[in-house]
Amino acid sequence: MKSDEYSFASDNCAGVDLDIMRALNDVNQGYVHSYGDDVYTNKAKETIKNMFGGKASVYFVYNGTGANVTGISQLVHSYHTVFCSQVGHIHVDECGSLEHNAGCKVIALPSTDGKIFPEQIAPLLVGIGDEHRSQPGLISITQSTEYGVVYSQEEISKLAVFAHDNNMHLHMDGARISNAAAALNLPLRAFTSECGVDLLSLGATKNGLMFGEAVVFLNEALDKCYPYVRKQGMQLHSKMRFIAAQFEEMFGTDRWLNNATHANNMAQRLVRGIEKHPQITITQKVQCNAIFAILPESMIPDLQSLFHFYVWDESKGEVRLMTSFQTTQQEVDHFVDAINRLMQ
Amino acid sequence: MKSDEYSFASDNCAGVDLDIMRALNDVNQGYVHSYGDDVYTNKAKETIKNMFGGKASVYFVYNGTGANVTGISQLVHSYHTVFCSQVGHIHVDECGSLEHNAGCKVIALPSTDGKIFPEQIAPLLVGIGDEHRSQPGLISITQSTEYGVVYSQEEISKLAVFAHDNNMHLHMDGARISNAAAALNLPLRAFTSECGVDLLSLGATKNGLMFGEAVVFLNEALDKCYPYVRKQGMQLHSKMRFIAAQFEEMFGTDRWLNNATHANNMAQRLVRGIEKHPQITITQKVQCNAIFAILPESMIPDLQSLFHFYVWDESKGEVRLMTSFQTTQQEVDHFVDAINRLMQ
Amino acid sequence: MKSDEYSFASDNCAGVDLDIMRALNDVNQGYVHSYGDDVYTNKAKETIKNMFGGKASVYFVYNGTGANVTGISQLVHSYHTVFCSQVGHIHVDECGSLEHNAGCKVIALPSTDGKIFPEQIAPLLVGIGDEHRSQPGLISITQSTEYGVVYSQEEISKLAVFAHDNNMHLHMDGARISNAAAALNLPLRAFTSECGVDLLSLGATKNGLMFGEAVVFLNEALDKCYPYVRKQGMQLHSKMRFIAAQFEEMFGTDRWLNNATHANNMAQRLVRGIEKHPQITITQKVQCNAIFAILPESMIPDLQSLFHFYVWDESKGEVRLMTSFQTTQQEVDHFVDAINRLMQ
Amino acid sequence: MKSDEYSFASDNCAGVDLDIMRALNDVNQGYVHSYGDDVYTNKAKETIKNMFGGKASVYFVYNGTGANVTGISQLVHSYHTVFCSQVGHIHVDECGSLEHNAGCKVIALPSTDGKIFPEQIAPLLVGIGDEHRSQPGLISITQSTEYGVVYSQEEISKLAVFAHDNNMHLHMDGARISNAAAALNLPLRAFTSECGVDLLSLGATKNGLMFGEAVVFLNEALDKCYPYVRKQGMQLHSKMRFIAAQFEEMFGTDRWLNNATHANNMAQRLVRGIEKHPQITITQKVQCNAIFAILPESMIPDLQSLFHFYVWDESKGEVRLMTSFQTTQQEVDHFVDAINRLMQ
């Protein structure tokens, strides 16, 4: 069975890191208690907790939408508003799951690179205590953003202070948090728990797992009833060791960082290869593993016949190119060569 | 890392069938489109569709609760009532997920073995068309039941006719449908699509998968908006090939049947080994891979120090013993030996 | 326009008490702040608060379903179970509104007269703390019950102690609470706040109001976010003075008691008039304003051609006869005469 | 009991039209069937149906939020997006009730006067058929808008065509629809049913009713299950004749138009009285019964000590002044005099 040979469409098009595969095989022996009451799960939870400074409540779920939606549902009431960016995954790519499950309002703020700031939210905090108005509940940011850009520690701290000053919580969608850490050259806790983030969706599927995501309450006091929310949210896995083993393998070693660094490097290689062409405009800072670029429109179909990638904004001829842990130098170079060829 | 050596607690305590593991490894090459738009997923969907006679819409989700809740949500409105048995998984073991997600009413009917019948529902069909009353929407049965008992084809057909005559749909929770097929010595379609079942949660995790479940609309016309319901229900996997490959390996061969037959045989061996003791009462027909038995109370702690299993009803001293594809003759024999020893 | 002349169908078929009408007219002058920020509303809230001993949070809503559903929604999470009787209005007559709005599970307990007891709930309190199970959240009782029967103070106290001992709240649906008070010859607080009831739906529409119901948190600490829940539940009236004025007129005087006493007396007069016939079986204790009686089947159509009333259980030939504040001795006597005539 | 003497805060601060009061008194005789199965309700439904050209399904509910939310809930699934203006009542003033009840996404579009246009929505119609995206479901407009401005027939027709061309429905929040009709000098049907509006929330409380609103499905085919949605939405009144009588009195005569015309005229008188002051900026066209004006900041407290009205936007010193059927020339003139005095 043939697969798409070279894909720059999404880091989700990659397979599973071979060491993760090995870890899955290793853990497949004998019987263990189901639903997470097993040594593998306890160990992986401990590993993650320690990554964030020793104070965190860790729960495994199936995927990013599951982590975002059940985690946020734990922190807001249906009369709350969740603020996020206009391109936020929870707003654009989860089919309204947050509204359906938490019953809350989502207010999406304009953003050119996926980042949002307290200054945008402050003027919206009107009608506090007015029963006619949805009340401010939570700010959700994505690190790295849907445009591959990273928040600095200072930016995150300011958001956290602002959120807490206004009785809100701060959530981080960390679907690509490892890429952000690699870009920032910081440990994960330096821009999460240490900056006041309350809730983290710790993703790693795009970085080499088969499935699974962690919901991490960095503010431990906030997870009170979350086990029920997770189960009700259809996110409790029976054979939990198979999620836990992946997380242990990924975060109990430097694999998360190495894979992300590699993906980021491949993006750098790619952008360096194509940015020299004056007909190509790189539209976002390339900090992680995403490149947004406006290509000559006529070139796109030819290129798509050779490589799988998405046109992001048809009106502008803007494409998105994603690299991953699996991307090879050869793949990048072939892509760059193809561009060069088409440019002649 | 040590695992519970011999477990009769649940078929969820088993690991992953080695051939399934191999299939996961085999599919882990190159890039493929994400979210199910790939050859592996298409093939597995086709395989399942054909198992049910060629007319079915097949969707993969993460787990049994996800399949039950999103599938049923597609078929009912919030003003509908879902009828199930008092021990139905959707009623007892899913933390109210159906009510939360579909917003509907669940009426649980008394049952000694997990089976329900049209005669129990008929008297409840009052107030049809009365806006004050939740309206009959769906009947949900579990095959094999939570007590390890199977519905006959005739029983299922009667339920389907009754459901359709009263503007309801019939859903089957098939978390252990393979064990039922083995017990009935029938192909899956003989007691599902051919009996008028509208919606099937096709489970196989308990039978050897790592994760994943299929939502199968046997009445193809009913899946109209289900892709949105699945996504909103947080059940759409990004790297879908890794669910698909498992289903293809399981249902594209006889593995589903062989594994289930083995589990059922182990249950037979176990029950034959212990039923001779007059102090032991077998409380349910042993048709599949579950044994319910009342043991002398004093014996239970000793036995639990050797084997992992659950006390089902503390008041009666009733225990549940589950076998699985992974259970060996030796494990069963050790268990029987232990009982024999404790009986002396 | 002709109205049904004599109705024993429901106390909802009556009109509006003339003094309530006068109060509505009286309050209709000038401008007042909307949504309850007015002197009339504050006064009526104070009046009700004082009726219950001075500690209560009072909110006005539109109707009984609104009071039950928004009030209970404030006290439970979606992973909770609400226990009520099989004939409870919230279970049978509100089209699943509680499940839809609170997202919780409703377990309806068997009951012959609409009353439920701790002994029925105790065996169901299994799986506490188990994330697979909906958790016990609230007990809801109806006073007087849907069968016109009243709980004693002792029965209510026992339910409250049991609820609180098990981390549940106790809700009372008081759609006909005035009739219960008249039957018990007790002030309202004697069998609500003084017995440990946490939340009361204080109804009076059946007793002479045009519209409106009060949600009374007898445990004041529990109303924290209720204003948002009420608004979100579409139950916040703009011209609130017109609900408040009715409540002030009803509960700031003895009207509530006089009207209910009259209705109860009319029921007594009716039952005394018909119970002598050996062909008639009175099936419930007549304590308030409802009579349940099995009549000779052949008699029912003739009687229904003269009076409006409902057949409650067709299989038994059981009818429900309701009296109200509006019922006259003459109406009762005509009904009794008609029965006498038909019996000859 | 003293009321706010002169209020320009909201048309909700007015009382009840005396003829409506009389109609309530008139209908208060004898017994009628409850929940709308009565001659008064049937007559009022017929009256409204005929106003819209004879093809409409009419249902009475309690209030505007109830009409908007249950009506829209009938037309959308939880995976749909509802488009409205940034100042839309459903978005700003209903505490997220639509998201909570329908579970859908709400996208609020920028608007300076409360009006929205197809051109704003068209670019947002991306990802049609993509399961990751909420799907376009409904456009909701407010006539007259929250800024007192009216849509023309042509504008509404264009929105309807656009909605239908894109598989959406068009809803009109008609809380002040009578004022719009008076402003347009058109019958109600001329800019609703005849322009392709599918669903109308027909309000009249602000125009003189005590309570009640009508949900009008102008596209009759769309109301299929609405009775259950209404009941579940806690919007079904028991003593329905008291809503029906108000609607019959209001819309069976020209009262709706006369009251609205009067309110509009009072707004014209007020704006003519104050617009001459160069220190005052009228910020919106005054077409109905709302005036938005920027006053000298220092003047506002003095004015508020004499009259009740709201500061709309503190940052700009913008106030909202509402007139109603109850506003008198004397009240307006006193207000204008006060401004004149303060200006000196």
Side-chain angles (χ1 to χ4, degrees):
Chain A
M1 216 173 287
K2 177 199 154 294
S3 61
D4 292 42
E5 295 223 11
Y6 292 175
S7 178
F8 296 95
S10 169
D11 27 15
N12 280 328
C13 297
V16 177
D17 184 292
L18 292 179
D19 284 303
I20 297 295
M21 267 295 186
R22 187 188 33 73
L24 283 168
N25 276 285
D26 288 353
V27 83
N28 188 29
Q29 37 182 321
Y31 302 94
V32 303
H33 288 215
S34 50
Y35 297 110
D37 182 18
D38 67 87
V39 286
Y40 306 109
T41 303
N42 288 334
K43 182 150 183 244
K45 285 165 69 175
E46 201 62 24
T47 295
I48 292 169
K49 186 174 168 175
N50 289 334
M51 283 188 85
F52 293 99
K55 287 196 176 167
S57 294
V58 181
Y59 297 86
F60 295 116
V61 297
Y62 283 117
N63 66 356
T65 300
N68 290 338
V69 172
T70 62
I72 294 175
S73 290
Q74 166 68 21
L75 299 191
V76 301
H77 287 277
S78 58
Y79 50 79
H80 277 136
T81 293
V82 169
F83 297 99
C84 68
S85 108
Q86 218 166 14
V87 296
H89 200 268
I90 57 167
H91 180 59
V92 174
D93 293 308
E94 301 184 355
C95 200
S97 188
L98 184 55
E99 284 96 337
H100 175 57
N101 286 280
C104 64
K105 181 171 280 300
V106 175
I107 300 272
L109 306 165
S111 173
T112 53
D113 58 3
K115 287 160 74 170
I116 55 172
F117 302 96
E119 296 69 36
Q120 298 177 272
I121 302 171
L124 305 177
L125 301 185
V126 293
I128 307 301
D130 173 355
E131 67 196 317
H132 295 79
R133 303 289 184 105
S134 291
Q135 298 294 304
L138 183 139
I139 301 171
S140 177
I141 60 176
T142 309
Q143 175 80 320
S144 60
T145 74
E146 290 75 7
Y147 279 120
V149 172
V150 298
Y151 286 91
S152 71
Q153 286 176 290
E154 198 192 345
E155 288 167 340
I156 294 168
S157 293
K158 278 189 182 165
L159 279 159
V161 168
F162 175 77
H164 300 152
D165 281 353
N166 290 285
N167 291 312
M168 291 187 280
H169 296 298
L170 181 60
H171 165 252
M172 182 184 281
D173 178 346
R176 296 188 181 96
I177 195 173
S178 300
N179 302 89
L184 288 165
N185 196 22
L186 286 171
L188 293 177
R189 69 166 166 275
F191 58 94
T192 54
S193 43
E194 294 181 1
C195 287
V197 173
D198 298 293
L199 170 65
L200 171 66
S201 300
L202 177 60
T205 299
K206 295 171 199 289
N207 203 26
L209 300 193
M210 184 185 286
F211 71 110
E213 182 118 349
V215 173
V216 186
F217 292 92
L218 299 167
N219 180 337
E220 286 179 303
L222 297 177
D223 79 333
K224 241 179 40 180
C225 309
Y226 182 70
Y228 305 113
V229 174
R230 175 175 60 173
K231 178 66 193 176
Q232 207 172 55
M234 307 169 267
Q235 293 293 315
L236 179 63
H237 190 43
S238 54
K239 297 182 173 177
M240 190 70 94
R241 56 173 143 168
F242 295 100
I243 297 181
Q246 296 179 74
F247 270 84
E248 181 62 30
E249 180 66 24
M250 184 59 88
F251 292 101
T253 72
D254 282 342
R255 194 163 321 287
W256 65 275
L257 185 58
N258 297 340
N259 282 4
T261 302
H262 174 79
N264 290 6
N265 288 344
M266 289 302 100
Q268 287 302 328
R269 186 180 186 93
L270 201 160
V271 76
R272 281 198 310 270
I274 67 172
E275 68 189 352
K276 62 186 177 222
H277 295 291
Q279 307 94 318
I280 293 181
T281 308
I282 307 300
T283 55
Q284 297 284 348
K285 267 188 284 183
V286 180
Q287 298 185 299
C288 295
N289 62 325
I291 297 160
F292 289 81
I294 296 175
L295 303 186
E297 221 172 309
S298 59
M299 183 187 288
I300 295 176
D302 288 339
L303 212 51
Q304 283 190 318
S305 73
L306 299 167
F307 305 93
H308 178 218
F309 63 89
Y310 288 117
V311 176
W312 191 255
D313 184 335
E314 213 140 340
S315 68
K316 295 196 277 184
E318 188 183 33
V319 306
R320 184 183 78 163
L321 304 168
M322 300 290 302
T323 58
S324 75
F325 77 96
Q326 188 173 312
T327 307
T328 64
Q329 288 198 8
Q330 194 192 28
E331 290 163 22
V332 170
D333 294 348
H334 280 197
F335 188 87
V336 172
D337 289 350
I339 295 255
N340 289 341
R341 234 180 5 259
L342 289 163
M343 281 296 175
Q344 287 165 355
Chain B
M1 213 172 287
K2 176 200 155 295
S3 63
D4 293 43
E5 294 219 14
Y6 291 174
S7 178
F8 297 95
S10 170
D11 28 14
N12 280 329
C13 297
V16 177
D17 184 293
L18 292 179
D19 283 303
I20 297 294
M21 269 295 185
R22 187 185 36 70
L24 284 168
N25 276 285
D26 288 353
V27 83
N28 188 29
Q29 38 183 322
Y31 303 93
V32 303
H33 288 215
S34 49
Y35 297 109
D37 181 19
D38 67 86
V39 286
Y40 307 109
T41 303
N42 288 333
K43 182 151 184 242
K45 286 165 68 175
E46 201 62 26
T47 296
I48 292 168
K49 189 174 166 175
N50 290 333
M51 283 189 83
F52 293 100
K55 286 197 177 170
S57 295
V58 181
Y59 298 87
F60 296 116
V61 296
Y62 283 118
N63 65 356
T65 300
N68 289 337
V69 171
T70 62
I72 294 175
S73 289
Q74 167 68 22
L75 300 192
V76 300
H77 287 278
S78 59
Y79 50 78
H80 278 136
T81 293
V82 170
F83 297 98
C84 68
S85 109
Q86 218 167 13
V87 297
H89 200 268
I90 58 166
H91 179 59
V92 174
D93 292 308
E94 301 183 356
C95 199
S97 188
L98 185 55
E99 284 96 337
H100 176 57
N101 286 281
C104 65
K105 183 172 278 301
V106 175
I107 300 271
L109 306 165
S111 172
T112 52
D113 58 2
K115 287 160 73 173
I116 54 172
F117 301 95
E119 295 70 34
Q120 298 177 272
I121 301 171
L124 305 177
L125 301 185
V126 293
I128 308 301
D130 173 356
E131 67 195 319
H132 295 79
R133 304 287 183 106
S134 291
Q135 298 295 304
L138 182 140
I139 300 171
S140 177
I141 60 175
T142 309
Q143 173 82 319
S144 60
T145 75
E146 291 75 8
Y147 280 120
V149 171
V150 298
Y151 286 90
S152 70
Q153 288 174 290
E154 197 192 346
E155 287 167 339
I156 294 167
S157 293
K158 279 189 181 166
L159 278 159
V161 167
F162 175 77
H164 300 152
D165 281 353
N166 290 284
N167 290 312
M168 292 187 280
H169 295 299
L170 180 60
H171 165 252
M172 181 184 283
D173 178 347
R176 296 187 181 96
I177 193 174
S178 300
N179 303 92
L184 288 165
N185 196 21
L186 287 172
L188 293 177
R189 72 166 165 274
F191 57 94
T192 54
S193 44
E194 293 180 1
C195 287
V197 173
D198 297 293
L199 170 65
L200 170 67
S201 299
L202 176 61
T205 300
K206 296 171 200 286
N207 203 27
L209 299 193
M210 183 185 286
F211 71 109
E213 181 118 351
V215 172
V216 186
F217 292 91
L218 299 167
N219 179 337
E220 285 178 304
L222 297 177
D223 80 333
K224 237 177 43 175
C225 309
Y226 182 70
Y228 306 112
V229 174
R230 174 174 64 169
K231 177 66 193 175
Q232 206 173 55
M234 306 170 268
Q235 295 293 316
L236 178 64
H237 190 43
S238 53
K239 297 183 173 177
M240 190 70 96
R241 56 172 143 168
F242 295 100
I243 297 182
Q246 296 180 73
F247 270 84
E248 180 61 31
E249 179 66 26
M250 183 59 89
F251 292 103
T253 72
D254 282 342
R255 196 163 319 289
W256 65 276
L257 185 58
N258 297 340
N259 282 4
T261 303
H262 174 78
N264 289 6
N265 288 345
M266 290 302 100
Q268 287 301 328
R269 187 180 183 92
L270 201 161
V271 75
R272 282 199 308 270
I274 66 172
E275 69 188 351
K276 61 183 177 223
H277 295 289
Q279 306 95 316
I280 292 179
T281 310
I282 307 300
T283 55
Q284 297 284 350
K285 265 188 285 183
V286 180
Q287 297 184 301
C288 295
N289 63 325
I291 298 159
F292 289 82
I294 296 175
L295 302 185
E297 221 172 307
S298 60
M299 182 187 289
I300 295 176
D302 288 340
L303 212 52
Q304 283 189 317
S305 73
L306 300 167
F307 305 92
H308 178 219
F309 62 88
Y310 289 118
V311 176
W312 192 255
D313 184 335
E314 213 141 340
S315 68
K316 294 195 277 183
E318 187 183 32
V319 306
R320 184 184 78 163
L321 304 168
M322 299 291 301
T323 59
S324 75
F325 77 96
Q326 189 174 310
T327 306
T328 63
Q329 288 199 8
Q330 194 192 28
E331 289 164 21
V332 170
D333 295 348
H334 281 198
F335 187 87
V336 171
D337 290 350
I339 293 253
N340 288 341
R341 239 185 357 263
L342 288 164
M343 280 297 176
Q344 287 167 357
Chain C
M1 214 172 288
K2 177 196 155 293
S3 62
D4 292 42
E5 295 220 11
Y6 291 173
S7 177
F8 296 94
S10 169
D11 26 15
N12 280 328
C13 297
V16 178
D17 184 293
L18 292 180
D19 284 302
I20 296 295
M21 268 295 186
R22 186 187 36 71
L24 284 168
N25 277 285
D26 288 351
V27 84
N28 188 29
Q29 37 184 320
Y31 302 94
V32 302
H33 288 214
S34 50
Y35 297 110
D37 182 19
D38 68 86
V39 286
Y40 307 110
T41 303
N42 288 334
K43 182 151 184 243
K45 285 165 68 175
E46 201 63 25
T47 295
I48 292 169
K49 188 175 168 173
N50 289 334
M51 282 189 84
F52 292 100
K55 286 195 177 171
S57 295
V58 182
Y59 298 87
F60 295 116
V61 297
Y62 283 118
N63 65 356
T65 300
N68 289 337
V69 171
T70 63
I72 294 175
S73 290
Q74 166 68 19
L75 299 192
V76 300
H77 287 278
S78 59
Y79 50 79
H80 278 136
T81 294
V82 169
F83 297 99
C84 68
S85 109
Q86 219 166 15
V87 296
H89 200 268
I90 59 167
H91 180 59
V92 174
D93 292 308
E94 301 184 355
C95 199
S97 187
L98 185 55
E99 285 95 336
H100 176 56
N101 286 281
C104 65
K105 183 172 278 302
V106 175
I107 300 273
L109 306 165
S111 172
T112 52
D113 58 2
K115 287 159 75 171
I116 55 172
F117 302 95
E119 296 69 35
Q120 297 177 274
I121 301 171
L124 305 177
L125 301 185
V126 294
I128 307 300
D130 174 355
E131 67 196 316
H132 295 79
R133 303 289 184 105
S134 290
Q135 299 294 305
L138 183 140
I139 301 172
S140 177
I141 60 176
T142 308
Q143 173 80 324
S144 61
T145 75
E146 290 77 6
Y147 279 120
V149 171
V150 298
Y151 285 92
S152 70
Q153 286 175 291
E154 198 193 345
E155 287 168 340
I156 293 167
S157 292
K158 279 189 180 164
L159 278 159
V161 167
F162 175 77
H164 300 151
D165 281 353
N166 289 285
N167 291 312
M168 292 187 280
H169 294 299
L170 180 60
H171 165 252
M172 181 183 282
D173 178 348
R176 295 189 182 97
I177 195 175
S178 299
N179 303 91
L184 287 165
N185 196 22
L186 286 172
L188 292 178
R189 70 165 166 274
F191 58 94
T192 54
S193 44
E194 293 180 2
C195 287
V197 173
D198 297 294
L199 170 66
L200 170 66
S201 300
L202 176 61
T205 299
K206 295 172 199 288
N207 202 27
L209 300 193
M210 185 186 285
F211 71 110
E213 181 117 349
V215 172
V216 186
F217 291 92
L218 299 167
N219 180 336
E220 285 179 304
L222 297 176
D223 79 333
K224 240 179 41 178
C225 309
Y226 181 71
Y228 305 113
V229 175
R230 175 175 60 172
K231 177 66 193 177
Q232 207 172 56
M234 307 168 268
Q235 294 294 316
L236 179 62
H237 190 43
S238 53
K239 298 183 173 176
M240 189 72 93
R241 56 174 143 168
F242 294 101
I243 298 183
Q246 295 180 73
F247 270 85
E248 180 62 31
E249 179 67 25
M250 182 61 88
F251 291 102
T253 71
D254 282 342
R255 194 163 322 288
W256 66 274
L257 185 58
N258 296 340
N259 282 4
T261 302
H262 174 78
N264 289 7
N265 287 346
M266 290 303 99
Q268 287 302 328
R269 186 180 185 95
L270 200 161
V271 76
R272 281 199 310 270
I274 67 172
E275 69 188 351
K276 60 185 179 228
H277 295 291
Q279 305 95 317
I280 292 180
T281 308
I282 307 300
T283 55
Q284 297 283 350
K285 265 188 286 183
V286 179
Q287 296 184 301
C288 294
N289 62 324
I291 298 160
F292 288 82
I294 296 175
L295 303 185
E297 222 171 306
S298 59
M299 182 186 289
I300 295 177
D302 288 339
L303 212 50
Q304 283 189 318
S305 73
L306 299 169
F307 304 94
H308 179 219
F309 63 88
Y310 288 117
V311 176
W312 192 255
D313 184 336
E314 213 143 339
S315 69
K316 293 196 279 185
E318 187 182 35
V319 306
R320 184 183 79 162
L321 305 169
M322 299 292 300
T323 58
S324 75
F325 78 95
Q326 188 173 314
T327 307
T328 62
Q329 288 199 7
Q330 194 193 29
E331 288 164 22
V332 171
D333 294 348
H334 281 197
F335 187 87
V336 172
D337 289 350
I339 294 254
N340 288 342
R341 235 178 10 256
L342 289 164
M343 279 298 174
Q344 287 164 357
Chain D
M1 214 174 288
K2 174 197 157 294
S3 62
D4 292 42
E5 295 220 12
Y6 290 174
S7 179
F8 296 95
S10 170
D11 29 13
N12 280 327
C13 297
V16 177
D17 184 293
L18 292 180
D19 284 303
I20 297 294
M21 267 296 185
R22 187 186 36 69
L24 283 169
N25 276 284
D26 288 353
V27 83
N28 188 30
Q29 38 183 321
Y31 302 94
V32 303
H33 287 215
S34 49
Y35 297 110
D37 181 19
D38 66 87
V39 285
Y40 307 109
T41 303
N42 289 334
K43 180 149 186 245
K45 287 164 68 174
E46 201 62 24
T47 295
I48 293 169
K49 188 173 167 175
N50 289 335
M51 282 189 84
F52 292 100
K55 285 196 179 172
S57 294
V58 181
Y59 298 87
F60 295 116
V61 297
Y62 283 118
N63 66 356
T65 300
N68 289 337
V69 172
T70 62
I72 295 175
S73 289
Q74 166 69 19
L75 298 193
V76 300
H77 288 277
S78 58
Y79 51 79
H80 278 135
T81 293
V82 170
F83 297 99
C84 67
S85 109
Q86 219 167 12
V87 296
H89 200 269
I90 59 167
H91 180 58
V92 173
D93 293 307
E94 300 185 355
C95 199
S97 187
L98 184 57
E99 285 96 335
H100 175 57
N101 286 282
C104 65
K105 182 172 279 301
V106 175
I107 300 272
L109 305 166
S111 172
T112 52
D113 58 1
K115 286 160 76 170
I116 55 173
F117 302 96
E119 295 70 35
Q120 298 177 273
I121 301 171
L124 305 178
L125 302 185
V126 293
I128 307 301
D130 173 354
E131 67 196 317
H132 295 80
R133 304 287 184 106
S134 292
Q135 298 296 303
L138 183 140
I139 301 172
S140 177
I141 60 175
T142 308
Q143 174 81 322
S144 61
T145 76
E146 291 76 8
Y147 280 119
V149 171
V150 298
Y151 286 91
S152 70
Q153 286 175 291
E154 197 192 345
E155 287 168 339
I156 294 168
S157 292
K158 278 190 181 164
L159 279 158
V161 167
F162 176 77
H164 299 152
D165 280 353
N166 289 284
N167 290 311
M168 293 188 280
H169 295 299
L170 180 61
H171 165 251
M172 181 183 284
D173 178 346
R176 297 189 181 95
I177 195 174
S178 300
N179 303 91
L184 288 165
N185 196 23
L186 286 172
L188 293 178
R189 71 166 166 273
F191 58 94
T192 54
S193 44
E194 293 180 2
C195 287
V197 173
D198 298 294
L199 170 66
L200 170 67
S201 300
L202 176 61
T205 299
K206 297 171 199 288
N207 203 26
L209 300 193
M210 184 185 285
F211 71 109
E213 182 118 350
V215 172
V216 186
F217 292 92
L218 298 167
N219 179 337
E220 284 179 305
L222 297 176
D223 79 334
K224 237 179 43 178
C225 309
Y226 182 71
Y228 305 113
V229 174
R230 174 174 64 170
K231 176 67 193 176
Q232 206 173 55
M234 306 170 268
Q235 295 294 315
L236 179 62
H237 190 42
S238 52
K239 297 181 173 177
M240 190 71 96
R241 56 172 142 169
F242 295 100
I243 297 182
Q246 296 179 74
F247 270 85
E248 180 62 31
E249 179 66 27
M250 183 61 88
F251 291 102
T253 71
D254 281 342
R255 194 165 319 289
W256 65 275
L257 185 58
N258 296 340
N259 282 4
T261 302
H262 174 78
N264 290 7
N265 288 345
M266 290 302 101
Q268 286 303 328
R269 186 178 185 94
L270 201 161
V271 77
R272 283 199 308 269
I274 67 172
E275 69 189 350
K276 61 184 177 224
H277 295 290
Q279 306 96 316
I280 292 179
T281 310
I282 307 301
T283 55
Q284 297 284 350
K285 265 187 287 181
V286 180
Q287 298 184 299
C288 294
N289 63 324
I291 298 160
F292 289 81
I294 296 176
L295 303 185
E297 224 172 305
S298 59
M299 182 188 289
I300 295 176
D302 288 340
L303 212 51
Q304 283 190 319
S305 73
L306 299 168
F307 305 94
H308 178 219
F309 63 89
Y310 288 117
V311 176
W312 191 255
D313 184 335
E314 214 142 339
S315 69
K316 295 195 276 182
E318 187 182 34
V319 306
R320 184 184 77 164
L321 304 168
M322 300 291 301
T323 57
S324 75
F325 77 95
Q326 188 174 313
T327 306
T328 64
Q329 288 199 7
Q330 193 193 29
E331 288 164 22
V332 170
D333 294 348
H334 281 198
F335 187 87
V336 172
D337 290 348
I339 294 253
N340 289 341
R341 234 177 10 255
L342 289 165
M343 280 296 175
Q344 286 166 356

